[in-house]
Amino acid sequence: MKFNRARNKTIGGIFIFIMMVAFVFGRPNFYLEGPGTAEPTSNFVKVDGKTDKKKGNLLLTTVAIRPATPFFLLKAMGDDFETITPKEELMGNESNAEYNQIQQYYMQSATNAAVAAAYSKAGKPYKSEYLGVYIMEVAENSDFKNKLKIGDTVTEVNGYHFNSSEKFINYVKKLDKNDKVTIKYTRDGKNKTAKGGLVKLEGTKRYGVGITLTDNTKVTATPPTKIDAGDIGGPSAGLMFTLQVYSQIANVDLKDGRTIAGTGTIDSDGNVGPIGGIDKKVYAASHQGATIFFAPDDPVTKEIKKYDPNYVNNYNLAKQAAKKLNTKMKIVPVKTLDDAINYLNKTK
């Protein structure tokens, strides 16, 4: 029996490579980010207890995240739409449970902002009650590392109340690096207090508390709207949920029988913000048959370029992804809710 030595060497090399891949990546230290789903927002939104029955779809888009096992890693090799990401880059210091909890807090904040933005645009009554700010992360070097935890709601800092996380951050920015801070917060319905100093914030020259925040609000509206995103987390469905809610409460047909996808955060004023993994969301939307995809056209400032010289904004990343896919789906840049609504009305 003859042996092909060159062929055997090749097979041996592949085997060794696979074993190396299994050793390096076949651990929970790495995750794969790839195209997720593109799902009709009407599945998640009810206005006055009713779902949207108009023809067409408004699709929210997601990114799929899974452990980088050898099987999935080899399957993803050579795929432009799969990304290997270290766990610490994806989740920071959080456990899987904490990471999922954070994504749910982001979603809750996003759905509240979506309702506020949609009702404001439609001229319908709503009430926004500011409860405080959720703690999303506590830095390792923070004085509050073992005092505060993910999910705590900050209600007061040094005796001051704030109606947004942005105002909280701006207040802390003005403090001297040697100042002490007293934080009042709620946990499991109980009021608590924590004290500590400021620390140097990683990657900056500034001092701060060392916590990451998002607004904790409660929005009630007339007619009542309920958004139940289920297991979907994160803030990136904000724009598409806003379009869905607005179309129902204003009784306008934005879809006009079309399949429309997109992504982007939303604030209560209707401003659209950038998100991660937009290339994967373009893929999911295209494969679901969308003909329009809304992409945040976030500004690339000098400050951003200084921090990341290679930064490319969401809109341009989306166009690059569409080109790779050779899709006919139209990539539409948006900065605001009005941009998306005006485009849909103009192209009916």
Side-chain angles (χ1 to χ4, degrees):
M1 182 176 182
K2 289 186 177 181
F3 292 91
N4 186 323
R5 293 185 179 180
R7 182 174 178 273
N8 287 346
K9 285 182 179 179
T10 301
I11 293 173
I14 292 173
F15 176 76
I16 292 170
F17 174 73
I18 291 173
M19 292 302 292
M20 289 175 65
V21 165
F23 176 74
V24 175
F25 293 109
R27 301 176 297 170
N29 298 13
F30 294 86
Y31 284 80
L32 275 174
E33 294 181 86
T37 58
E39 304 182 43
T41 51
S42 58
N43 290 349
F44 309 100
V45 176
K46 287 186 178 180
V47 174
D48 207 14
K50 300 173 184 176
T51 57
D52 181 9
K53 301 297 185 182
K54 298 183 184 74
K55 290 183 179 180
N57 281 306
L58 293 166
L59 303 177
L60 63 82
T61 49
T62 69
V63 173
I65 300 173
R66 56 180 178 269
T69 62
F71 172 77
F72 283 123
L73 187 70
L74 290 169
K75 187 172 178 288
M77 281 186 175
D79 190 330
D80 290 337
F81 294 91
E82 296 276 0
T83 305
I84 302 167
T85 306
K87 181 180 178 180
E88 59 270 20
E89 184 178 318
L90 178 67
M91 300 182 182
N93 297 313
E94 292 90 30
S95 65
N96 288 352
E98 288 173 330
Y99 176 79
N100 290 332
Q101 183 183 17
I102 288 171
Q103 298 310 305
Q104 289 302 311
Y105 288 145
Y106 276 130
M107 175 57 79
Q108 182 179 329
S109 181
T111 54
N112 278 319
V115 171
Y119 276 70
S120 178
K121 173 65 179 174
K124 300 288 185 179
Y126 75 94
K127 180 182 177 183
S128 181
E129 182 183 358
Y130 187 77
L131 304 177
V133 289
Y134 277 132
I135 293 176
M136 310 297 280
E137 183 181 3
V138 183
E140 286 295 321
N141 66 332
S142 173
D143 252 15
F144 294 86
K145 176 63 181 175
N146 296 312
K147 302 171 186 176
L148 300 174
K149 69 177 186 178
I150 294 168
D152 289 344
T153 298
V154 176
T155 57
E156 185 179 303
V157 181
N158 288 351
Y160 292 97
H161 296 272
F162 303 96
N163 59 7
S164 74
S165 55
E166 182 180 1
K167 290 182 179 179
F168 171 98
I169 292 167
N170 288 337
Y171 168 76
V172 173
K173 281 182 181 178
K174 296 176 183 177
L175 297 177
D176 183 86
K177 66 180 182 180
N178 296 314
D179 285 343
K180 298 298 181 183
V181 177
T182 299
I183 294 177
K184 289 189 177 180
Y185 63 99
T186 60
R187 179 186 297 169
D188 299 327
K190 297 179 180 179
N191 296 320
K192 296 178 178 289
T193 301
K195 297 181 179 181
L198 303 183
V199 295
K200 191 172 182 180
L201 302 178
E202 185 178 356
T204 74
K205 296 180 180 179
R206 294 188 296 105
Y207 282 75
V209 178
I211 57 179
T212 303
L213 309 165
T214 192
D215 292 336
N216 180 5
T217 59
K218 180 182 179 182
V219 176
T220 53
T222 305
T225 287
K226 182 179 180 181
I227 303 176
D228 183 358
D231 293 334
I232 300 173
S236 65
L239 170 63
M240 299 311 293
F241 275 141
T242 307
L243 290 171
Q244 180 65 60
V245 174
Y246 171 76
S247 69
Q248 289 182 246
I249 60 171
N251 195 27
V252 295
D253 187 4
L254 295 177
K255 295 181 290 189
D256 194 36
R258 297 170 291 185
T259 299
I260 301 153
T263 189
T265 65
I266 198 80
D267 66 20
S268 57
D269 294 323
N271 297 305
V272 178
I275 51 79
I278 195 166
D279 57 328
K280 298 153 182 61
K281 295 178 179 182
V282 168
Y283 182 105
S286 179
H287 280 254
Q288 197 61 31
T291 56
I292 296 169
F293 186 94
F294 289 122
D297 191 15
D298 52 305
V300 183
T301 64
K302 289 182 179 179
E303 186 176 352
I304 290 174
K305 278 293 188 183
K306 184 178 179 181
Y307 178 75
D308 183 1
N310 299 315
Y311 183 81
V312 180
N313 83 344
N314 271 193
Y315 171 56
N316 284 294
L317 286 173
K319 285 201 300 181
Q320 291 172 13
K323 187 176 180 180
K324 287 180 182 178
L325 288 167
N326 194 29
T327 179
K328 294 181 180 179
M329 184 172 65
K330 176 72 174 176
I331 307 298
V332 180
V334 290
K335 289 184 171 70
T336 65
L337 173 63
D338 280 347
D339 289 343
I341 292 173
N342 292 340
Y343 180 85
L344 293 176
N345 286 329
K346 182 178 66 175
T347 55
K348 281 183 180 180

